């Protein structure tokens, strides 16, 4: 089975506070909806017809998945928390680096030494690693066709990409995921055939 990962379109937080940790409930913006529609048209023009669209439960991803499903005319699975974004601690949601509290800055400098640690509301590096491993192998219900689309988030897609490239510990996966770049509504892996 072929799996294409698609980052959700631009969210409201992504436009108004681009350097902040996005809040889980931030909605897809009008710009994001247009980005996802363009991605759907690109997939259709390249004759990529997935059997199913899977999605994170966060509104920016779920709405992106609804648009893809409708424009491609394919089924949409129920949202799955397996595909959710890495959960940043509650103390930094909606905040940029200049607003991070001291407790977060301390944890942030220590998290690679203690990948099992997490702050309130947040996900440890080990938990992200385990979830990314599961997301990379559990694709949803069996399908007859051979392509699935998963609408998710930059850090989780980056973690899956790091695992696919051979990273094998939580620290390495997280570091690679943080550096991973994928434009809103971007596709991974993109072998160049989808441009």
């Amino acid at each position: 089975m072929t799996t294409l990962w698609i980052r959700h379109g631009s969210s409201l937080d992504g436009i108004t506070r681009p350097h902040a940790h996005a809040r889980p409930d931030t909605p897809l913006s009008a710009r994001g909806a247009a980005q996802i529609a363009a991605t759907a048209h690109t997939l259709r023009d390249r004759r990529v017809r997935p059997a199913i669209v899977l999605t994170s439960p966060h509104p920016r991803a779920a709405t992106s998945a609804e648009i893809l499903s409708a424009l491609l005319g394919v089924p949409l699975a129920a949202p799955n928390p397996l595909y959710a974004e890495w959960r940043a601690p509650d103390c930094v949601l909606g905040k940029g680096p200049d607003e991070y509290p001291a407790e977060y800055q301390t944890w942030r400098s220590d998290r690679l030494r203690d990948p099992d640690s997490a702050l309130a509301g947040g996900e440890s590096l080990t938990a992200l690693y385990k979830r990314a491993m599961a997301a990379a192998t559990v694709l949803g219900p069996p399908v007859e066709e051979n392509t699935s689309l998963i609408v998710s988030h930059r850090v989780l897609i980056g973690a899956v990409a790091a695992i696919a490239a051979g990273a094998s510990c939580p620290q390495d996966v997280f570091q690679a995921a943080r550096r991973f770049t994928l434009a809103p509504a971007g596709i991974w892996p993109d072998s160049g055939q989808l441009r």
Side-chain angles (χ1 to χ4, degrees), residues 38-122:
T39 297
H41 293 304
T42 297
L43 290 169
R44 194 173 56 220
D45 290 348
R46 299 292 186 249
R47 292 187 174 87
V48 175
R49 181 167 167 78
I52 194 164
V53 177
L54 304 156
T55 185
S56 156
H58 296 308
R60 60 196 184 268
T63 302
S64 295
E66 290 169 6
I67 293 167
L68 283 166
S69 173
L71 291 177
L72 296 173
V74 298
L76 174 64
N80 187 335
L82 186 64
Y83 306 122
E85 180 60 291
W86 174 69
R87 289 188 320 273
D90 292 341
C91 64
V92 296
L93 294 178
K95 297 179 181 176
D98 57 333
E99 303 168 290
Y100 293 163
E103 127 186 81
Y104 176 74
Q105 292 176 6
T106 299
W107 174 78
R108 189 176 182 188
S109 68
D110 293 337
R111 66 187 172 194
L112 294 178
R113 284 189 297 273
D114 184 5
D116 295 331
S117 67
L119 292 177

Side-chain angles (χ1 to χ4, degrees), residues 6 10 15 34 45 48 52 69 73 92 100 125 138 161 166 178 180-181 192:
I6 298 179
S10 293
I15 292 172
D45 290 348
V48 175
I52 194 164
S69 173
V92 296
Y100 293 163
L125 306 189
V138 179
R178 287 184 61 228
F180 184 77
T181 58

Side-chain angles (χ1 to χ4, degrees), residues 102-171:
E103 127 186 81
Y104 176 74
Q105 292 176 6
T106 299
W107 174 78
R108 189 176 182 188
S109 68
D110 293 337
R111 66 187 172 194
L112 294 178
R113 284 189 297 273
D114 184 5
D116 295 331
S117 67
L119 292 177
E123 184 174 28
S124 72
L125 306 189
T126 299
L128 172 67
Y129 170 76
K130 289 178 181 177
R131 192 162 55 84
M133 289 288 290
T137 57
V138 179
L139 300 177
V143 291
E144 292 179 15
E145 289 89 6
N146 62 0
T147 301
S148 293
L149 298 181
I150 301 175
V151 181
S152 189
H153 309 268
R154 183 186 64 82
V155 173
L156 182 69
I157 297 170
V160 170
I163 291 166
S168 61
C169 73
Q171 297 93 327

Side-chain angles (χ1 to χ4, degrees), residues 22-37:
R23 295 165 296 174
D25 62 349
T26 190
L28 186 69
S29 67
R31 180 189 310 169
Q35 292 164 336
I36 287 293

